[in-house]
Amino acid sequence: MTTTVLPVAGEDYPRTYQQFLKWFADDGACRKYLLRCRWQEGFRCPRCGEASEPWLTTRGHLHCRLCGHQVSATAGTIFEGTRISLQTWFSAMWFVTSQKDGASALGLKRVLGLGSYQTAWAWLHKLRRAMVRPGRDRLSGRIEVDETYVGGSEHGGKRGRGAERKEIVVIAVEVHSPKGFGRVRMRRIPNVAGSSLIPFICDVVEKRSEILTDGWGGYNGVSDMGYSHNPVLLSGTGDPAHVSMPGVHRVAALLKRWLLSTHQGSVSGKHLEYYLDEYTFRFNRRTSRSRGLLFYRLMQQAVATAPAPYRCIVGNNHNL
Ligand SMILES: [Zn+2]
């Protein structure tokens, strides 16, 4: 997919909730929309590559004119094998994207009338997997990088005692001049060694960008990796970290508040990375004026994201 035509409200995605209800009045309409998002440049048979318009079977499958291969609308997407209607899925996606802070599993269960908390919880995790676009752009320009500690007891200083039971999250934020922040990237890391910090920076930041960090030794190798490294020696300035690294500290505070409020802090370490993905999705689209556009972006990524069975979600440990 190379064309980048901007999606249009009211044509590519619903502008309002009223329009949403009208467009997705039944499962057939949802399936049509899903197919359109999945094959934006027209259907191509996954088996033989045929690009001519397929037949639509009565079961809602696409039937290749050339080889007879049948593809279900949901196979290979996060909706694969779902026993609940697509319409309910669409409602979940609208609910999750139309609220500034998203939804908790309990909130989703209630609003959709889902049978179990587990279903709601698993759905949110499936959606989170679709919130990170594979091959997304890297941050560029001026980037603050620092770690923060999530969960556990609030005592103990940074990188010091008391931090043991907390999860370590490294955050990179684009800082604009004279003020304001751009996009963020985050990752849960096992420790604050250079072997954790430097690969994160290389993965998420464009080379030749300016990297601002504190004086921690773990960042010493940054300039060897093709970046301009600007360590701020806090002890020299006498400023607390939130003064010299305002971007990262603002984002870290917002992230912690979001985990505590929307999710009541009940995020276990092995799932934290997916919450970071959701937070990143929301933060990087915070200025988007249309919630419908967020719904559309999530839909686009949902049809391009491999299915994750429940047992895989429960047992998954993202990257540690
Ligand atoms: Zn075919």
Side-chain angles (χ1 to χ4, degrees):
M1 286 199 284
T2 47
T3 49
T4 46
V5 182
L6 286 179
V8 179
E11 282 179 30
D12 296 303
Y13 57 86
R15 191 190 298 273
T16 60
Y17 183 55
Q18 282 69 30
Q19 200 160 49
F20 172 88
L21 292 174
K22 221 172 178 176
W23 282 23
F24 306 122
D26 56 57
D27 255 27
C30 295
R31 192 176 294 111
K32 268 202 191 115
Y33 185 78
L34 200 146
L35 291 172
R36 181 181 145 189
C37 289
R38 192 169 177 189
W39 283 287
Q40 282 185 310
E41 272 132 59
F43 174 78
R44 189 169 279 276
C45 172
R47 185 201 272 166
C48 74
E50 174 64 16
S52 65
E53 188 70 15
W55 287 302
L56 194 63
T57 72
T58 46
R59 289 171 60 219
H61 288 193
L62 299 175
H63 183 105
C64 173
R65 283 171 193 258
L66 196 68
C67 75
H69 184 58
Q70 289 199 359
V71 198
S72 94
T74 55
T77 74
I78 66 161
F79 310 109
E80 182 176 308
T82 186
R83 283 173 305 219
I84 303 174
S85 73
L86 278 178
Q87 208 187 7
T88 311
W89 267 105
F90 276 41
S91 302
M93 291 169 79
W94 185 268
F95 183 61
V96 160
T97 50
S98 61
Q99 302 200 98
K100 186 172 155 285
D101 288 325
S104 67
L106 195 59
L108 188 67
K109 174 185 181 290
R110 281 183 188 145
V111 78
L112 296 182
L114 292 172
S116 77
Y117 176 86
Q118 277 73 18
T119 302
W121 184 89
W123 277 27
L124 286 173
H125 268 288
K126 283 170 193 261
L127 292 174
R128 283 182 192 112
R129 278 165 168 75
M131 286 180 183
V132 169
R133 191 161 50 87
R136 58 194 173 162
D137 301 334
R138 289 191 281 189
L139 307 185
S140 60
R142 210 157 176 250
I143 321 287
E144 287 179 16
V145 181
D146 202 1
E147 323 95 64
T148 192
Y149 292 77
V150 174
S153 92
E154 285 304 310
H155 302 289
K158 192 178 169 186
R159 297 176 189 129
R161 285 190 307 160
E164 293 87 7
R165 273 167 301 140
K166 293 172 184 245
E167 297 294 334
I168 312 166
V169 174
V170 56
I171 300 176
V173 184
E174 287 175 335
V175 275
H176 292 161
S177 156
K179 67 185 181 109
F181 312 126
R183 297 165 298 168
V184 305
R185 296 280 185 263
M186 305 176 178
R187 179 181 290 174
R188 175 188 173 217
I189 51 175
N191 55 54
V192 294
S195 57
S196 297
L197 299 169
I198 307 290
F200 167 73
I201 293 173
C202 292
D203 286 347
V204 306
V205 184
E206 217 51 77
K207 299 286 175 194
R208 288 185 296 282
S209 296
E210 182 186 3
I211 307 283
L212 306 167
T213 68
D214 60 16
W216 174 247
Y219 293 108
N220 282 350
V222 169
S223 51
D224 300 334
M225 305 306 293
Y227 298 101
S228 139
H229 184 203
N230 192 353
V232 180
L233 300 173
L234 295 180
S235 55
T237 63
D239 286 336
H242 66 266
V243 176
S244 58
M245 304 271 273
V248 159
H249 286 269
R250 174 102 182 106
V251 172
L254 290 170
L255 168 71
K256 288 178 204 185
R257 194 193 300 164
W258 178 72
L259 288 170
L260 283 173
S261 59
T262 304
H263 303 288
Q264 280 85 46
S266 60
V267 174
S268 76
K270 67 177 180 179
H271 295 124
L272 177 62
E273 187 77 15
Y274 295 107
Y275 289 86
L276 301 182
D277 289 347
E278 178 178 351
Y279 193 78
T280 301
F281 177 86
R282 294 185 182 287
F283 187 90
N284 290 346
R285 290 165 184 78
R286 66 198 180 282
T287 55
S288 174
R289 277 164 47 225
S290 163
R291 308 318 285 182
L293 183 57
L294 262 70
F295 169 82
Y296 179 72
R297 292 294 178 217
L298 186 56
M299 186 64 72
Q300 279 186 310
Q301 291 168 209
V303 295
T305 301
Y310 182 74
R311 61 175 188 286
C312 153
I313 294 172
V314 174
N316 198 301
N317 206 342
H318 198 294
N319 70 345
L320 293 188

